[in-house]
């Protein structure tokens, strides 16, 4: 599973120091020379250059943060920088592919922001929240979840225990790829991570261990039948194919 998309790994909720505000250029305004004075033009130009430079650096930081958060939340061997950032409309369309049409059309759509928090792209009414595909991963992996599953994902991303007694459901009808079926925070596939690709499926999270005991827990499972991902960890969950 991806999460958010399990999503990743270090927590994607890490904070970054704010880039200096444009208010740093205020002293130039305070010392602006009188109109008509040749120095006024020079001062104005310096102020403009400072503002443009600050703006470019701020945008560069935001772009790097988005890439870093995406890699932490999902994990991939494909460099995220190779993929242009999708528009909000594209992310909404992608997210709606995660769930049945009747669920997706009334779901809230969110995406990861540069600060590591979820940004709402569209407000919904049915209690489900959908997230778009991460273009940095090898295959499509949008997901859609109910409120309990959203709390489970938030706990996973924060490296915290999931809330007890809250059974949740997620859809990933476009399928998904994961670096490991055993390590919830594996960042890339390797010989020990059991790289796994799953077709269209839904997931049950937050169930009692006795529920998960009824299904296979192999490191390299048969993804054509129900199986347990991340068995023996706080984030074990049922993966159930629908095709």
């Amino acid at each position: 599973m991806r999460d958010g998309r399990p999503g990743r790994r270090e927590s994607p909720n890490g904070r970054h120091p704010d880039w200096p505000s444009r208010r740093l250029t205020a002293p130039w305004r305070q010392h602006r020379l009188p109109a008509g004075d040749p120095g006024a033009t020079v001062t104005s130009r310096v102020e403009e250059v400072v503002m443009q430079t600050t703006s470019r650096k701020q945008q560069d930081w935001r772009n790097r943060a988005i890439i870093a958060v995406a890699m932490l939340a999902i994990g991939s061997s494909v460099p995220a920088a190779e993929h242009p950032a999708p528009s909000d409309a594209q992310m909404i369309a992608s997210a709606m592919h995660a769930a049945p049409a009747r669920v997706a059309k009334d779901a809230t759509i969110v995406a990861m922001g540069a600060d590591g928090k979820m940004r709402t792209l569209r407000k919904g009414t049915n209690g489900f929240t959908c997230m778009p595909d991460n273009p940095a991963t090898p295959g499509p992996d949008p997901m859609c979840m109910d409120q309990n599953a959203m709390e489970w994902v938030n706990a996973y991303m924060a490296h915290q225990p999931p809330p007890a007694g809250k059974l949740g459901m997620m859809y990933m009808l476009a399928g998904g790829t994961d670096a490991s079926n055993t390590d919830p925070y594996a960042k890339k596939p390797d010989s020990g991570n059991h790289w796994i690709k799953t077709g269209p499926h839904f997931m049950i999270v937050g169930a009692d261990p006795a529920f998960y005991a009824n299904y296979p827990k192999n490191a390299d499972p048969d993804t054509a039948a129900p199986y347990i991902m991340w068995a023996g960890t706080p984030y074990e969950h049922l993966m159930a194919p629908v095709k």
Side-chain angles (χ1 to χ4, degrees), residues 92 105-110 120-126 128-129 147:
I92 289 173
K105 73 182 182 69
D106 294 322
T108 294
I109 308 295
V110 301
T120 299
L121 304 180
R122 188 190 74 187
K123 185 66 176 176
T125 58
N126 66 357
F128 276 82
T129 300
Q147 181 58 42

Side-chain angles (χ1 to χ4, degrees), residues 13 27 31 41 68 72 82 145 147 167 179 181 187 207 217 240:
N13 292 327
H31 296 288
T41 301
L72 287 171
E82 294 179 0
M145 63 209 83
Q147 181 58 42
L167 191 68
N181 194 53
K187 294 182 173 64
K217 298 184 178 183

Side-chain angles (χ1 to χ4, degrees), residues 208-223:
D208 292 334
F211 171 80
Y212 297 129
N214 296 313
Y215 300 93
K217 298 184 178 183
N218 303 325
D220 298 297
D222 176 6
T223 60

Side-chain angles (χ1 to χ4, degrees), residues 78-239:
V78 178
E82 294 179 0
H83 305 272
S87 67
D88 283 6
Q90 290 172 322
M91 288 192 287
I92 289 173
S94 171
M96 291 183 68
H97 285 132
R102 287 198 176 185
V103 174
K105 73 182 182 69
D106 294 322
T108 294
I109 308 295
V110 301
M112 190 75 73
D115 58 358
K117 296 180 179 180
M118 294 297 178
R119 178 170 66 92
T120 299
L121 304 180
R122 188 190 74 187
K123 185 66 176 176
T125 58
N126 66 357
F128 276 82
T129 300
C130 298
M131 299 171 63
D133 167 59
N134 175 12
T137 54
D141 50 17
M143 67 188 308
C144 199
M145 63 209 83
D146 62 20
Q147 181 58 42
N148 284 351
M150 188 66 180
E151 292 183 34
W152 186 93
V153 168
N154 287 338
Y156 161 78
M157 293 171 66
H159 291 229
Q160 297 295 322
K166 290 192 173 183
L167 191 68
M169 179 180 181
M170 304 184 200
Y171 289 106
M172 290 188 74
L173 298 188
T177 51
D178 297 273
S180 175
N181 194 53
T182 58
D183 180 0
Y185 296 106
K187 294 182 173 64
K188 62 182 181 180
D190 61 37
S191 59
N193 275 344
H194 305 283
W195 171 261
I196 186 168
K197 180 178 180 180
T198 309
H201 62 280
F202 69 89
M203 291 164 282
I204 299 297
V205 302
D208 292 334
F211 171 80
Y212 297 129
N214 296 313
Y215 300 93
K217 298 184 178 183
N218 303 325
D220 298 297
D222 176 6
T223 60
Y227 67 95
I228 301 302
M229 178 172 277
W230 302 336
T233 77
Y235 312 108
E236 67 177 346
H237 57 279
L238 175 69
M239 303 277 283

